[in-house]
Amino acid sequence: MSAHCQLTGTQPGFGNKISHSHRRTSRRFDPNIQRKRYWLPSEGRHVRLVLSARAIKVIDTIGIEAAVARIRARGVKV
């Protein structure tokens, strides 16, 4: 499962670890990705989405129908 959100498009960010001696080594900040299954009443079926935790909260606010419309507008197959 890649660290990529279908709704928000969130991807890993990159930066540096800084040790006590202040040496820098590269690191990766992964988004909190979850697989979630939703019932889509307009199509009479379940959809399984790969979402970040923030995107799950967005779906709670705007609803699954609007969220799927946004995902399809980005060109992602649902």
Side-chain angles (χ1 to χ4, degrees):
M1 181 166 47
S2 67
H4 183 269
C5 176
Q6 287 182 314
L7 180 60
T8 61
T10 305
Q11 294 177 342
F14 296 90
N16 290 314
K17 293 180 193 173
I18 301 180
S19 69
H20 179 70
S21 65
H22 224 63
R23 284 182 65 119
R24 290 172 169 86
T25 55
S26 56
R27 63 161 291 180
R28 177 174 154 147
F29 296 90
D30 285 327
N32 185 3
I33 297 294
Q34 311 290 325
R35 292 190 76 159
K36 190 120 167 85
R37 188 173 163 228
Y38 287 99
W39 173 252
L40 197 58
S42 65
E43 297 182 15
R45 67 183 182 106
H46 286 96
V47 291
R48 185 165 304 221
L49 301 175
V50 178
L51 302 167
S52 63
R54 182 179 293 174
I56 292 171
K57 294 175 187 175
V58 168
I59 290 177
D60 290 342
T61 304
I62 66 172
I64 186 63
E65 297 289 343
V68 168
R70 282 188 193 181
I71 292 170
R72 287 182 174 149
R74 291 184 68 235
V76 178
K77 184 181 174 189
V78 178

